[in-house]
Each structure stands twice: as structure tokens, then as C-alpha cells.
Amino acid sequence: MTTIRLTVNGEQHEAEAEPRMLLSDFLRGPLGLTGTHVGCEHGVCGACTILLDGASVRSCLCLAVQADGCTVETVEALGTPAALSPLQEAFRAHHALQCGFCTPGMLMTATDMLRNHPLTTEEEVREALSGNLCRCTGYQHIVDAVMAVARTRA
Amino acid sequence: MKPPPFDYSRPTSLPEALALLGPDSKVIAGGQSLLPMLNFRLLRPSLLVDIGRIQSLRGLHETPTHLEIGATTSHRTLETHPLVAARFPVLAEAMRHVAHLAIRNRGTIGGSLSHADPAAEHPMLALLLDAQIQAAGPSGKRQIPARKFFQGSLTTALLEDEMVVAVRLPWLRPGTGWGFEEFALRAGDFATACAAALLRAGPDGRITEARLALMGVDETALRVPEAEALLLGSSPSAFGEAARLAQAAVRPATDIRASSGFRRHLVGVLVGRALEAAWGRAREGQA
Ligand SMILES: Cc1cc2nc3c(=O)[nH]c(=O)nc-3n(C[C@H](O)[C@H](O)[C@H](O)COP(=O)(O)OP(=O)(O)OC[C@H]3O[C@@H](n4cnc5c(N)ncnc54)[C@H](O)[C@@H]3O)c2cc1C
Ligand code: FES
Ligand code: FES
């Protein structure tokens, strides 16, 4: 077992983990942050996407030990049910989720994209979200929601 | 699934890392190919050597003869670095096709070359750009030309106790035009087929330098020397014949993404487009 220290959503955390523990499981288990979802565990579905030192990554393709000393942001950092973030509010307003399984990954991917990239066209938004699978919505409403936020920034 | 148990070490210097390499250990860089394999339990190393925090392995350095790229430089850094955009725009363009942002943020050039997927962008670019791959092992460093590095699907010239430390790209001559054409089923998917070309034009409108590389259509990425020889000294009227030579040079597989025949068809189309694009840029560079 190794001791892992992380800053998650602005709070310091410390917990023990085996080297083989995935960051996704570390967040959901020892840290109890179950907002990050786990679908495929091989990098394909995007449900587990978080921000690591400010950049979006697949938490299922990162060992918790690799993230030792780093800063993590998860979907829990965005907003609360009482005070949704603008992106979450846009998802609600545009019906961009049904079962919600893909939503944390969609939100965190879009957060990185909106912070760091000039998303202007629908095509750019579609390409940005191409690594995140959704079984329910058919994507159009998710694209609409991200476009709505991208427009307010422009 | 979850990875099998292993020990983990995170050295902060190259000598420490090299001392840990051997038959039962595996280097982990970005983990974007290794962790899927561990999660599927296709591998059971007893030790993972994390090279992600060895500062000397990361970043770009200019020399008079080449650009040196540290092994743990991410796909994303290469996609966005001004030096790459200015001097190797074909590499910057290729990076946009590597998986998705979240994977490009972590995946590295050294990891991609060492993994040697026949449909991965970095091996093809290393071949196209005549890269020298610098490997380090217990007896020191050696340079391996890209042409000798890729030996088969997921197989390279690296020895068990060696690792890639850097990649050297010789500067291109001024006025070199480039083309990069990839066909994938979805943005970010591995290529079904891909072609990249470099061309230079002489004052008389003849081709004075020609390089053509392909991926996703054989056991490894490859150059097409027959087509390059044909193009040299000729004009764009030879592009069609070059594309046919490329089609004849490859042995594409049939898999879930495409049939062998469709891949060969794609080679013809993509080579034609890559050559046209490269020629357009070569002529612009001349003006
Ligand atoms: C969903 C998904 C889609 C992808 N799509 C693409 C794509 O379209 N195109 C593409 O090119 N790639 C794609 N990839 C792979 C990605 O580019 C990886 O980043 C890359 O193949 C490996 O780089 P890494 O740094 O993550 O290596 P790791 O996963 O850390 O290592 C890969 C292998 O290389 C070895 N290794 C790593 N670094 C070194 C070194 N310096 N010296 C010696 N051995 C080393 C490891 O031991 C391991 O065997 C995709 C991955 C995923 C999960
Ligand atoms: S669970 Fe990580 S990408 Fe699917
Ligand atoms: S809302 Fe159900 S998977 Fe996207």
C-alpha cells in the first residue's frame, strides 16, 4: 500500500491505495466521490473524464499513484443541485441528459474545452465531444447545451 | 476490469529508471495504451517504472541540425507547440487525429513509438520525417533510425532493458510542402487508412524531393520507396501512378473497421490527396 495525497476540488485528501488502483476507483471508493462514473475502463466511453492539473484525462487510464501530489477536479466541483454551474444549467435547459450516466464525463470534457479552446462552430463541439459516448440522448441536445455556453463566452 | 497486482516505482532520474528495467518490468509513460492492456489483463508485469516525472525526458530542444523531442512529451504539447506548428506542421496536423483530447493530454511520443501500433500516427510520422529514435540502456545510448525501429505490429528494435529517451527530427528544407490525409470512422478513432507526403518543387516545376508514408494498411507503418523514386524529377502528372504503386506496396488486413479491398482503395484516394496537398504547399512556399 502507498499513501496518496491529492487536492480534489480544492480540498486536501490523503488515503492508502495499492499501486494498481485506478484513479477512478480511488475517487469513488476511498474518497467517496461517486460523481465520476465508470463505464468501459479502457478509455473509450469517456464517462470517467476528470481534470488533472487542469487538463481533461480519463481517470480509468491513470493510476491513483501516478496522480500523487496533483490537483484533481471532478464533476462535484462544478455546482450543486441548488446552484448549478452555467454549463450544468445549460444541460438542464437543453435536455442534454436522460439517464445521466455519461453526464459527468460530458461536463468535464466540455469544461476543459470551454476553458482552453475556441469552440465556435457546431462541428468543433461535435469533434470535442467525439470521445464521449451517450446511449440515450442522440447527442444533439448535448451539442446544443455546449454551444449555448460557448456562445455566451464569445 | 482492474489491473493485476504489480509494484510501482517513480524514479526522478534516467539512471535510476534504467536500473529498474528488465524482463518483468514495464515502463509507464502516459499509460494510454498500457493501462487498457493491464485492465484487460493482457500483461502481468511485476513492476511498473513510471517515467512521467523525469524532467529531462520532457520537452522540445532546437539544435542546428534537428528538433529533439523528449520521450514523455505529450501528443497535446506537440499539437499546440509553436515550434512544431512552424517547422513540422505535418506533425501538428497528425496529432489532431490521435484519439481525443483527454487521451492526447496524457499520451506521449515515446510511448506511442514503443507501443508501435500499425495504425498509430507517431510511427508513420517518424518514418516520414526520417526520425532518429534515441534509446538508452545499461551500456549507454544509441540512435535507431525510424526505418529500423518498427519491426512488426507492436514490435520494435528496443531491447528489454532499453527505453526511448528522445526523438530527433532533422529540419526540413525550406519550401517543403506537406499533406496528411486520414480516414477514420469517427473523429479520434484509430485510422482505417492514412497517407502523408512531403514534396519540394524545383524552379522548373519538377519534384526535387518526395517522401510518402502510409499507416493502418500493413503490419507496420511504411514508406513507399518505389513511389518516391517515380516522383523524383517528375511532375504532378505522376501522382496517379504513384498512388497505384502505393496500392501495390501494401498488404492491408480485413478487420471490424474495413475490408482489405476497401483499405487498398483508400490508399489510392488518400495518397492522391496527400500528394496534391503537399504539392500545393510546395508551390506556395516557392512563391
Ligand atoms: C480510446 C483510445 C483511442 C486511441 N486512439 C489513438 C489513435 O487514434 N492514434 C494513436 O496513435 N494512438 C491512439 N491511442 C493510443 C495513445 O496515443 C497512447 O498515448 C500511445 O499509444 C501510448 O503512449 P503512452 O505514453 O500513453 O504510453 P504507455 O501506455 O505508458 O506505454 C505504451 C507502451 O510503451 C512502453 N513505453 C512507454 N514509454 C516508453 C519509453 N519511453 N521507452 C520504452 N518503452 C516505453 C510501455 O511499457 C508500454 O508497453 C488511443 C488510446 C485510447 C485509449
Ligand atoms: S470508464 Fe474511463 S473511458 Fe470508459
Ligand atoms: S444520458 Fe444516458 S448515457 Fe448519456
Side-chain angles (χ1 to χ4, degrees), chain A residues 96-103 106 133-137 142:
Chain A
L97 63 153
Q98 290 177 28
C99 78
F101 198 85
C102 68
T103 313
M106 290 286 181
L133 302 182
C134 175
R135 297 167 297 180
C136 309
T137 63
I142 300 176

Side-chain angles (χ1 to χ4, degrees), chain B residues 17 28 41 55 77 104 166 171 178 214 239 254 261 265 283:
Chain B
I28 181 164
R41 303 207 170 188
Q55 286 307 324
T77 300
R104 295 202 287 275
W171 299 118
W178 60 275
L214 304 170
F239 288 174
T254 292
H265 167 76
R283 296 307 297 253

Side-chain angles (χ1 to χ4, degrees), chain B residues 3-284:
Chain B
F6 46 74
D7 290 327
Y8 171 85
S9 173
R10 189 166 59 216
T12 50
S13 76
L14 181 60
E16 278 174 87
L18 291 174
L20 295 168
L21 298 186
D24 298 324
S25 57
K26 270 273 171 202
V27 168
I28 181 164
Q32 303 303 290
S33 294
L34 186 60
L35 277 164
M37 290 195 293
L38 289 171
N39 288 354
F40 280 126
R41 303 207 170 188
L42 296 172
L43 292 173
R44 290 176 180 273
S46 55
L47 174 69
L48 286 195
V49 181
D50 184 352
I51 60 169
R53 303 221 187 159
I54 305 177
Q55 286 307 324
S56 63
L57 292 182
R58 189 178 299 263
L60 282 69
H61 307 280
E62 282 177 271
T63 80
T65 51
H66 59 260
L67 174 66
E68 183 163 307
I69 303 172
T72 59
T73 307
S74 72
H75 307 326
R76 181 66 183 159
T77 300
L78 294 171
E79 180 186 353
T80 53
H81 202 289
L83 197 54
V84 179
R87 302 297 298 273
F88 295 102
V90 65
L91 176 58
E93 171 65 19
M95 291 301 99
R96 296 185 48 238
H97 296 261
V98 180
H100 314 284
L101 178 66
I103 291 162
R104 295 202 287 275
N105 278 334
R106 283 195 73 73
T108 70
I109 184 170
S112 191
L113 294 172
S114 308
H115 189 58
D117 190 299
E121 282 77 2
H122 268 306
M124 182 182 77
L125 265 289
L127 287 166
L128 181 76
L129 298 172
D130 287 329
Q132 293 280 337
I133 295 163
Q134 193 172 44
S139 49
K141 287 185 182 169
R142 63 178 178 131
Q143 303 282 346
I144 310 170
R147 283 171 199 244
K148 301 220 165 114
F149 189 79
F150 305 105
Q151 301 189 332
S153 179
L154 311 185
T155 309
T156 70
L158 280 181
L159 304 175
E160 264 169 1
D161 53 4
E162 279 184 318
M163 58 181 262
V164 173
V165 291
V167 181
R168 290 183 173 172
L169 305 181
W171 299 118
L172 298 173
R173 303 238 191 135
T176 306
W178 60 275
F180 179 93
E181 294 290 331
E182 174 164 332
F183 182 89
L185 293 179
R186 195 176 57 135
D189 278 2
F190 274 103
T192 307
C194 178
L198 295 180
L199 292 176
R200 221 150 39 79
D204 57 355
R206 303 257 148 203
I207 298 166
T208 53
E209 184 178 351
R211 300 190 217 171
L212 179 63
L214 304 170
M215 71 180 205
V217 290
D218 214 318
E219 279 285 289
T220 67
L222 65 150
R223 285 277 288 266
V224 194
E226 313 82 299
E228 293 174 358
L230 172 87
L231 289 166
L232 206 60
S234 64
S235 70
S237 59
F239 288 174
E241 184 55 22
R244 277 185 289 281
L245 288 173
Q247 285 179 308
V250 298
R251 293 163 300 163
T254 292
D255 64 15
I256 189 169
R257 292 194 196 99
S259 68
S260 168
F262 180 52
R263 281 201 164 88
R264 184 166 278 121
H265 167 76
L266 284 175
V267 167
V269 175
L270 299 174
V271 165
R273 288 182 190 165
L275 289 171
E276 290 291 349
W279 188 245
R281 291 189 175 104
R283 296 307 297 253
E284 266 169 44

Side-chain angles (χ1 to χ4, degrees), chain A residues 54-65:
Chain A
S56 57
V57 307
R58 305 291 207 226
S59 60
C60 74
L61 296 188
C62 181
L63 299 168
V65 274

Side-chain angles (χ1 to χ4, degrees), chain A residues 38-41 43-46 48 58 60:
Chain A
V38 170
C40 66
E41 292 187 329
V44 171
C45 75
C48 68
R58 305 291 207 226
C60 74

